[in-house]
Amino acid sequence: MEIDPLIFRLSIFILSIFVGYYVVWSVTPSLHTPLMSVTNAISSVIIVGAIIAGLSGNVNSVFNISSIFGFLAIALAAINIFGGFLVTQRMLAMYKKKKKDKK
Amino acid sequence: MISANLSAIFYLVSGVLFILALRGLSSPETSRQGNFFGILGMIIAVTVTFLSTGNFSTGFVYVLIFIIVGGSIGAFIAYRIPMTAMPELVAGFHSLVGLAAVFVAISAFLNPEAFNLGYPGNIKLGSLIEMSIGAAVGAITFSGSIIAFLKLQGIMSGSPITFKGQHPLNAVILISIIVLIYLLCSTQSSNLFWILLAVSFLIGFLLIIPIGGADMPVVISMLNSYSGWAAAGIGFTLENTALIITGALVGSSGAILSYIMCKGMNRSFFNVILGGFGATDEKSSTSSKEQRPVKSGNADDAAFLMKNASSVIIVPGYGMAVAQAQHALREMVDTLKKNDIKVSYAIHPVAGRMPGHMNVLLAEANVPYDEVFELEEINNDFANADVAFVIGANDVTNPVAKTDPQSPIYGMPVLDVEKCKSVLFVKRSLSPGYAGIDNDLFYKENTLMLFADAKKMTEDITKNL
């Protein structure tokens, strides 16, 4: 008997929750704010769905009601991706160690 | 056009890169590299999506235009946002993820053929369930985050909004969401889909309004978690590994942060979610309303105390963020260090309005991160320190949490500030903190209250040093 592909996806999902659990516990508390902004950015990988939706129109009409929602979702996700990664970068650049000469 | 198998492998690669992005955050040294992995994962995912659709016609141009428009807005915000506004920014971003999830779900519902999910009115059952869960969670994330954003921004009052029958109402709505999903799946009616979305938006709104301002660290973490589960729901619909992995990562990340925040306040998750904290505690605070003497001083006294100290511990809180005092504070510390005084910073898990908020502000003011310590790391040092400088923190220093079982914050882990030889407490007035209770620390023998704006006081002390 064949296994439903859904079961495989469910396995990936469950195992990823465990990976996430252990990875996030090892994040140092001082970086919890960058953690939130970066998780924000990566969860916007939902843009892949938005792109498929946006490209669902045919040659004659790029815009139909479904693709319009797709395009809107692309813009929203893009705000998050660029905003999320860049603000994380900006924050992380500020974390500096004590300068040696000050000791 | 690349094969479905190949693109699935690339999606897996980008999922792994996202895991590495989070892994990088285990220390500040590796964090920048981690962020780079995240960006790389995103580029791979987007590129593969383009290649797998193989559609580079007019639609493709519009996709690029929308990416550029959204991207520019995002980049502009990222560069302009002050660090003190990070909680609002993150709440705002969560709402966008939620709304994007809703839009993708709507799009897939209206045009399932584009996603290989069947035909309108006859969508595959499994996909429809996944889609409606993703849409519902996305909608809750959206409206909840909007409320959180408005509360953090100060547009909406931070005090909890409660009304009679609130909890039963929420329970009824939550049950109706489950019923709606069931009916939607059995009838495929598009009207039910729209009702489901409307009800989900409503419950997101109702769930967050009863939660007060200082519980925002929990709320933001919780909404972070929701945005992950919404993404995962959509990932199942689209059969996309990158989305499923990411959704699970973000979902568990937000859940862990909520747990850490709740523990930092010694409250259960449900207690926070049910809300109304602060409004119910008035009775306990009135009983101890008798006037007690406090010692208050000025910048000169504070400078004198600190000049004669050999070690100072700084305890920052949300008030420092409000007063934008982090830079002034760093200047004061620089002057102290020039006088060979040892300075360290003590940060309570729930200081500020989001996890790690204080750390970012101090980093912004060029405070080296190895001078900043978490509660467990530094709590024993207070007994050996000469001066504790409390700036903008309140409840997290209240010794009542250790001594008075009647107190609403009893059992909450607090910083042992009172063990210091002397305590300098910068505060605008004697008003109680968010929990609505008096801070015993104000009336201790060794406490000197400095009544002023945090920034101004810090600057004045620096002048007097």
Side-chain angles (χ1 to χ4, degrees):
Chain A
M1 220 172 83
E2 215 177 314
I3 300 173
D4 190 323
L6 175 68
I7 305 300
F8 289 116
R9 287 193 283 277
L10 200 60
S11 320
I12 294 172
F13 180 63
I14 303 290
L15 292 176
S16 302
I17 292 178
F18 278 91
V19 172
Y21 179 84
Y22 289 106
V23 168
V24 172
W25 270 119
S26 73
V27 171
T28 162
S30 68
L31 290 176
H32 275 162
T33 299
L35 171 69
M36 298 197 86
S37 62
V38 86
T39 51
N40 220 307
I42 64 172
S43 59
S44 303
V45 73
I46 202 157
I47 197 169
V48 302
I51 292 172
I52 297 172
L55 291 176
S56 64
N58 54 39
V59 189
N60 303 319
S61 64
V62 175
F63 292 102
N64 56 48
I65 179 129
S66 162
S67 75
I68 288 172
F69 276 110
F71 284 122
L72 290 175
I74 290 174
L76 295 177
I79 295 178
N80 255 315
I81 293 172
F82 283 73
F85 280 125
L86 288 172
V87 86
T88 310
Q89 187 108 333
R90 211 182 121 198
M91 277 191 276
L92 294 178
M94 297 184 311
Y95 281 82
K96 291 188 194 85
K97 242 192 165 139
K98 209 183 310 194
K99 285 195 200 98
K100 286 268 156 63
D101 55 14
K102 267 196 175 172
K103 275 190 174 175
Chain B
M1 185 109 178
I2 57 174
S3 77
N5 284 337
L6 192 59
S7 51
I9 287 175
F10 276 115
Y11 284 133
L12 182 62
V13 170
S14 89
V16 171
L17 285 168
F18 290 152
I19 296 174
L20 293 175
L22 299 193
R23 184 74 189 89
L25 290 170
S26 56
S27 96
E29 283 108 85
T30 55
S31 61
R32 281 166 279 245
Q33 193 192 20
N35 199 37
F36 172 73
F37 283 139
I39 295 171
L40 191 65
M42 188 61 75
I43 293 172
I44 291 177
V46 171
T47 316
V48 168
T49 311
F50 282 137
L51 292 177
S52 64
T53 58
N55 176 351
F56 292 99
S57 58
T58 352
F60 176 70
V61 178
Y62 281 104
V63 171
L64 284 187
I65 291 174
F66 277 93
I67 291 182
I68 291 168
V69 169
S72 324
I73 299 173
F76 180 76
I77 298 173
Y79 279 110
R80 292 296 299 274
I81 191 89
M83 284 299 143
T84 41
M86 278 315 291
E88 292 96 301
L89 180 75
V90 168
F93 278 173
H94 286 155
S95 73
L96 299 183
V97 178
L99 195 60
V102 172
F103 283 172
V104 173
I106 292 177
S107 185
F109 184 78
L110 294 174
N111 187 2
E113 287 143 302
F115 297 87
N116 289 325
L117 304 176
Y119 301 93
N122 187 19
I123 299 171
K124 279 188 274 179
L125 180 64
S127 308
L128 191 57
I129 298 173
E130 293 150 5
M131 195 188 295
S132 42
I133 293 174
V137 179
I140 295 172
T141 313
F142 172 71
S143 52
S145 301
I146 292 287
I147 300 300
F149 175 81
L150 294 176
K151 285 197 173 195
L152 287 164
Q153 189 74 278
I155 298 171
M156 208 172 133
S157 153
S159 52
I161 298 169
T162 48
F163 54 87
K164 233 180 165 182
Q166 195 163 23
H167 300 322
L169 177 69
N170 290 350
V172 168
I173 295 178
L174 284 173
I175 292 166
S176 77
I177 286 180
I178 296 167
V179 174
L180 277 167
I181 292 179
Y182 174 77
L183 289 176
L184 173 64
C185 293
S186 51
T187 63
Q188 303 251 355
S189 146
S190 57
N191 286 339
L192 285 175
F193 185 71
W194 301 119
I195 297 174
L196 172 68
L197 284 181
V199 172
S200 304
F201 280 126
L202 180 69
I203 188 71
F205 171 78
L206 288 172
L207 280 176
I208 308 301
I209 53 165
I211 304 179
D215 283 338
M216 280 301 147
V218 183
V219 172
I220 297 194
S221 316
M222 186 181 84
L223 291 166
N224 187 15
S225 179
Y226 287 179
S227 71
W229 304 130
I234 303 295
F236 274 103
T237 319
L238 306 181
E239 308 181 349
N240 183 307
T241 338
L243 253 176
I244 296 176
I245 295 177
T246 316
L249 289 179
V250 178
S252 51
S253 163
I256 291 173
L257 289 176
S258 324
Y259 170 79
I260 296 175
M261 292 301 113
C262 287
K263 229 177 121 222
M265 296 192 288
N266 188 38
R267 297 175 57 199
S268 78
F269 188 65
F270 285 103
N271 185 300
V272 176
I273 296 309
L274 294 178
F277 193 60
T280 49
D281 301 313
E282 270 159 38
K283 271 172 258 136
S284 56
S285 64
T286 41
S287 57
S288 57
K289 262 282 147 71
E290 82 270 29
Q291 283 287 323
R292 288 190 279 174
V294 285
K295 282 198 287 183
S296 78
N298 56 29
D300 208 14
D301 307 327
F304 177 79
L305 265 173
M306 283 205 260
K307 223 188 286 180
N308 292 305
S310 63
S311 69
V312 174
I313 299 180
I314 310 227
V315 182
Y318 183 59
M320 181 188 79
V322 174
Q324 303 262 10
Q326 67 270 31
H327 297 281
L329 180 68
R330 214 279 328 282
E331 276 162 35
M332 184 187 93
V333 169
D334 282 350
T335 323
L336 289 175
K337 277 195 207 150
K338 267 183 217 144
N339 294 318
D340 280 328
I341 298 165
K342 189 178 165 281
V343 185
S344 38
Y345 299 80
I347 299 198
H348 191 273
V350 293
R353 285 291 184 268
M354 77 182 291
H357 192 192
M358 290 301 121
N359 303 77
V360 171
L361 292 181
L362 292 176
E364 187 199 10
N366 281 322
V367 173
Y369 62 80
D370 38 6
E371 286 176 10
V372 182
F373 299 93
E374 304 300 318
L375 177 109
E376 314 87 67
E377 294 171 318
I378 201 167
N379 229 1
N380 293 329
D381 297 353
F382 279 106
N384 304 318
D386 297 311
V387 176
F389 186 74
V390 183
I391 172 165
N394 187 358
D395 291 333
V396 298
T397 62
N398 197 340
V400 158
K402 287 175 286 190
T403 52
D404 179 11
Q406 301 297 312
S407 165
I409 61 166
Y410 182 70
M412 167 172 148
V414 287
L415 292 159
D416 295 336
V417 174
E418 79 282 358
K419 289 188 182 153
C420 265
K421 287 201 192 79
S422 41
V423 178
L424 295 169
F425 207 113
V426 185
K427 204 171 180 310
R428 260 179 290 192
S429 69
L430 265 187
S431 62
Y434 164 72
I437 41 167
D438 240 4
N439 192 340
D440 256 12
L441 198 59
F442 298 165
Y443 314 104
K444 294 267 175 191
E445 197 55 21
N446 54 353
T447 304
L448 188 68
M449 298 297 295
L450 307 167
F451 294 112
D453 172 71
K455 189 175 177 193
K456 198 172 170 305
M457 178 51 78
T458 324
E459 282 165 354
D460 288 349
I461 294 174
T462 315
K463 274 180 217 149
N464 283 304
L465 275 171

